[in-house]
Amino acid sequence: MRKHIISVLVENEFGVLSRIASLFSGRGFNIESLTVAETDDATVSSMTIVTTGDDHIIEQITKQLNKLINVIKVVELTEATQMAREMVLLKFASGSGGKRLELLRLVEVYQGRVLELGARSLVVELTGSRDKIEAALKVLAPFGIREMARTGLVALGRNGIK
Amino acid sequence: MKKMLTGAQILLEVLQEQGVEVIFGYPGGAVINLYDHLPDYDCRHFLVRHEQAAVHAADGYARATGKTGVALVTSGPGATNTVTGLATAYMDSIPMVVFSGQVPTPLIGNDAFQEADIVGITRPCTKHNYLVKRVEDLERIINEAFHIANSGRPGPVLIDLPKDVIGGKCAKKKPEKPVLKGYNPNYAGHPGQVQRAMQQIFKAKRPLFYVGGGVILGDAAEALTELARKLRIPVTTTLMGLGAFPEDDPLSLGMLGMHGTYRANMAVTESDVMVAFGARFDDRVTGRIDQFAPGAKIIHVDIDPTSISKNVVVDIPIVGDVGDVLGKMLEVVENSPDEASRCASGHDEWLEKIAYWRDLHKLSYEQDTEEIKPQFVVEKISELTRDLNPIVSTEVGQNQMWAAQFFTFTQPRSWLTSGGLGTMGYGLPAAMGAQVAFPGRLVLDIAGDGSIQMNIQELATVVQYNLPVKVIILNNGYLGMVRQWQELFFDRHYSSTRMNHAPDFVKLAEAYGALGLRAEKPGEVEETLKKAFAHPGPVIVDFKVAAEENVYPMVPAGEAISNMLLV
Ligand SMILES: Cc1ncc(C[n+]2csc(CCOP(=O)(O)OP(=O)(O)O)c2C)c(N)n1
Ligand SMILES: [Mg+2]
């Protein structure tokens, strides 16, 4: 069971997201994360779906997606062909003294940005590959993450998908 | 200036352009404007007695003709009543467009009177569906819907019509071909794949064609028959494929699967090359999947890529229209006469083995002089109608399986049955739809006493329009197929399957204004059938049949199909 990233171009129409979601739930496929946004062409949206399954399931998912009338293009992005990024926002209790400095130093190591530095809390933005985000979360967890919001992956093929 | 039309008028004009001659429907507040304009157009409207029946009738019409069936219903309960019909058509890939009324756009989402989110409800049981938000989009959407419904792998499409869209005004455009960015079904089978497949077929010692409903939908029965005969390859069909190959041909093995013939299931199990044409390896066909055609190279021809390698791993997939692929296969045969004739003459041993299986366990039953056996009724129907080219629909259960087993099918598009969904109550309205399309043909519904009560109200419709459908009830006093499972797998615990409070079907027929007939003795069967067929109007025949007769062979669910219970 590997993770797979599937990039889907869809017509930017009412109900398309729910068609995709109900395809996954109706056929018992997994969605680990799903992001949608308009592309440069306002009539087309792009979705990035992260899913798990063996090759057979992934083949079915791709074919079933293609079968939807509103789906224009489906590309399964393999490790080699993809650039995938995720963003996460983290809120910490501000802490004090050495601990706070250490936290800021680690955020810097992960090329994060401090969005808010208040008397009582600290909000940080991190962007990166899934592995990088997971690694950062492990290291930062001991500082006490109070709240977290993640975008899920967005991805592009290296040669671009048209 | 261009003439402005209402949404209702645009809809009816586009239907005319699409060649729609028949609508099955039921009115209500949300579609009242549409009904107001309906009589101004040539399209004939048939007023059913329940919206489910409108959809099944459109379905039966579509199966019998190949044209797209059309149904029209009101919002809310009218729309939700179509769900079973849509799901039935979706499972069996039947081209259909269903129009539902909807509350006015400003009220959508407000829990308005008779509002239902029918687009949400039917999303998983339609090929596609639409909510029309502006009257300006209506014409394009209807044209798209007809295109989607009857191209590629066909299926039902629903169009939800808010009342203000039907009542709104705009100019009608010229008919134009729909352009859909994300929908471009591939009809042409890959010639290289066809070549590879033919090389396998030529080499095969024990080849078999496994033929599904796709061959009927793709109007490819003739090409299939030609190929099978040229290469002398035996053919088994699924429930949906009955009629794709003439069953009176010695190469026919009849149906395969759970209630398939002994020879068909054995042939599958021992074949070395199996070619699936427009079939989808349904679990009722395959039984235990790893024992299905275990020694065969599998070639799969289907217009829908999602069907290929879904349930079994396929050695040579060919995506495309079966008619196109069969045409290319016949070309290969034409261009390789030596290989073809070597192939055709190389199956003697295989065909002998099949004949041996045929004689070992024929489909059989024992008819005594006391009780009518349901199989006997079906066999008699088949015999008496041999030259009439009848259309046979069924309900669901034992009646359906006996019809499939004991009727000799020789023509495509003459068999209407709910295969994928198994919808009780399908048969009568489907027969009604087919009879509308072919007023002069004999149309029969082979029914069970349980199923017929699920859409019995349509007797009023067939009487009103004088659609001379013959309903043949195999009345065993049970929900027989469920009872059979209870007998075999639940220790004869007949929980809730006895149907001893049924109406008197003869009186019921008369109450609706149809002819009612009854037979209780084997000696009366032929005469009763003849009387029914000779009657110019609709008839119900109540055959009191043996109560606890079972359908055999039977493969218990989940077993290998070679593991058949035979008696
Ligand atoms: C709408 C619907 N409900 C329930 C079933 C389950 N079911 C399958 S066969 C059957 C029995 C049908 O009885 P009857 O119409 O008398 O046919 P018989 O098997 O006796 O020929 C039932 C209840 C079904 N297929 N469809
Ligand atoms: Mg019964």
Side-chain angles (χ1 to χ4, degrees), chain B residues 295-354:
Chain B
K297 286 253 179 279
I298 295 181
I299 299 163
H300 190 177
V301 183
D302 206 294
I303 189 117
D304 180 1
T306 68
S307 284
I308 292 178
S309 289
K310 182 175 66 179
N311 299 340
V312 298
V313 180
V314 168
D315 298 287
I316 305 180
I318 308 178
V319 175
D321 172 60
V322 275
D324 174 88
V325 173
L326 278 162
K328 288 178 175 148
M329 288 179 156
L330 282 165
E331 259 169 50
V332 176
V333 168
E334 203 71 19
N335 296 333
S336 346
D338 294 347
E339 275 160 303
S341 74
R342 216 176 309 126
C343 170
S345 57
H347 308 144
D348 288 346
E349 218 173 294
W350 176 230
L351 293 173
E352 270 164 36
K353 187 146 198 195
I354 287 171

Side-chain angles (χ1 to χ4, degrees), chain B residues 84 395-400 402 421-425 447-452 454 474 476-482 499:
Chain B
T84 303
E395 302 294 337
V396 169
Q398 294 182 313
N399 58 85
Q400 178 184 34
W402 286 318
L421 200 67
T423 307
M424 290 171 68
D449 48 317
S451 302
I452 194 61
M454 285 212 177
L474 304 176
N476 52 14
Y478 278 107
L479 299 174
M481 185 55 91
V482 184
M499 272 255 156

Side-chain angles (χ1 to χ4, degrees), chain B residues 174-433:
Chain B
K174 285 249 150 37
E176 50 188 64
K177 217 179 158 318
V179 187
L180 291 155
K181 276 190 219 162
Y183 179 72
N184 243 324
N186 175 26
Y187 282 90
H190 190 280
Q193 290 293 85
V194 172
Q195 265 301 344
R196 283 180 59 207
M198 288 313 292
Q199 293 321 312
Q200 278 291 346
I201 293 170
F202 285 152
K203 273 196 308 207
K205 293 257 171 344
R206 299 182 304 282
L208 177 67
F209 287 173
Y210 149 48
V211 170
V215 172
I216 310 259
L217 294 167
D219 289 319
E222 213 174 300
L224 173 93
T225 306
E226 192 183 337
L227 186 67
R229 284 179 176 161
K230 279 203 165 134
L231 299 180
R232 283 177 76 234
I233 293 178
V235 179
T236 179
T237 61
T238 66
L239 181 67
M240 297 305 298
L242 292 171
F245 187 77
E247 290 192 309
D248 50 10
D249 188 300
L251 289 170
S252 167
L253 307 184
M255 184 171 75
L256 81 168
M258 180 175 273
H259 294 296
T261 64
Y262 181 76
R263 65 183 189 281
N265 286 351
M266 293 309 291
V268 168
T269 307
E270 302 214 353
S271 64
D272 65 351
V273 171
M274 177 156 111
V275 194
F277 289 102
R280 60 187 175 87
F281 297 84
D282 174 82
D283 54 276
R284 282 290 188 269
V285 161
T286 63
R288 202 177 126 180
I289 196 93
D290 59 359
Q291 296 290 310
F292 185 71
K297 286 253 179 279
I298 295 181
I299 299 163
H300 190 177
V301 183
D302 206 294
I303 189 117
D304 180 1
T306 68
S307 284
I308 292 178
S309 289
K310 182 175 66 179
N311 299 340
V312 298
V313 180
V314 168
D315 298 287
I316 305 180
I318 308 178
V319 175
D321 172 60
V322 275
D324 174 88
V325 173
L326 278 162
K328 288 178 175 148
M329 288 179 156
L330 282 165
E331 259 169 50
V332 176
V333 168
E334 203 71 19
N335 296 333
S336 346
D338 294 347
E339 275 160 303
S341 74
R342 216 176 309 126
C343 170
S345 57
H347 308 144
D348 288 346
E349 218 173 294
W350 176 230
L351 293 173
E352 270 164 36
K353 187 146 198 195
I354 287 171
Y356 163 75
W357 285 323
R358 181 196 60 210
D359 296 338
L360 194 59
H361 295 289
K362 289 202 156 123
L363 288 175
S364 68
Y365 62 92
E366 275 170 40
Q367 180 60 68
D368 55 35
T369 53
E370 282 311 302
E371 261 187 329
I372 302 175
K373 288 292 167 73
Q375 301 94 322
F376 175 67
V377 177
V378 176
E379 226 166 40
K380 269 283 167 235
I381 295 173
S382 186
E383 195 185 300
L384 294 174
T385 61
R386 189 137 303 162
D387 302 321
L388 299 177
N389 189 20
I391 295 173
V392 179
S393 77
T394 72
E395 302 294 337
V396 169
Q398 294 182 313
N399 58 85
Q400 178 184 34
M401 291 302 130
W402 286 318
Q405 291 179 330
F406 288 92
F407 192 93
T408 305
F409 294 93
T410 58
Q411 299 290 328
R413 297 201 178 281
S414 49
W415 166 243
L416 322 172
T417 200
S418 168
L421 200 67
T423 307
M424 290 171 68
Y426 169 81
L428 174 54
M432 187 165 96

Side-chain angles (χ1 to χ4, degrees), chain A residues 31-145:
Chain A
I31 299 186
E32 201 149 286
S33 73
L34 185 158
T35 63
V36 205
E38 243 177 45
T39 63
D40 53 336
D41 175 351
T43 67
V44 176
S45 293
S46 138
M47 289 190 182
T48 307
I49 303 173
V50 181
T51 180
T52 52
D54 56 26
D55 291 349
H56 173 74
I57 291 177
I58 299 302
E59 183 185 330
Q60 264 299 311
I61 293 178
T62 338
K63 285 177 172 178
Q64 293 284 356
L65 281 168
N66 260 315
K67 192 169 157 179
L68 294 177
I69 310 286
N70 299 130
V71 168
I72 301 165
K73 178 150 187 148
V74 181
V75 179
E76 201 215 324
L77 299 171
T78 60
E79 304 271 355
T81 60
Q82 55 142 331
M83 289 172 287
R85 291 292 179 268
E86 178 173 17
M87 186 169 91
V88 57
L89 301 180
L90 297 166
K91 188 186 276 179
F92 296 90
S94 201
S96 60
K99 238 183 150 195
R100 183 167 182 166
L101 281 177
E102 197 187 339
L103 175 55
L104 288 171
R105 200 177 55 76
L106 284 170
V107 167
E108 204 171 311
V109 169
Y110 285 101
Q111 289 157 314
R113 292 206 301 152
V114 174
L115 297 184
E116 189 183 276
L117 185 58
R120 309 187 52 195
S121 77
L122 171 67
V123 178
V124 168
E125 170 201 317
L126 290 172
T127 305
S129 68
R130 193 160 262 245
D131 287 350
K132 175 179 154 185
I133 299 284
E134 292 297 338
L137 288 178
K138 230 183 235 152
V139 171
L140 297 175
F143 293 90
I145 297 170

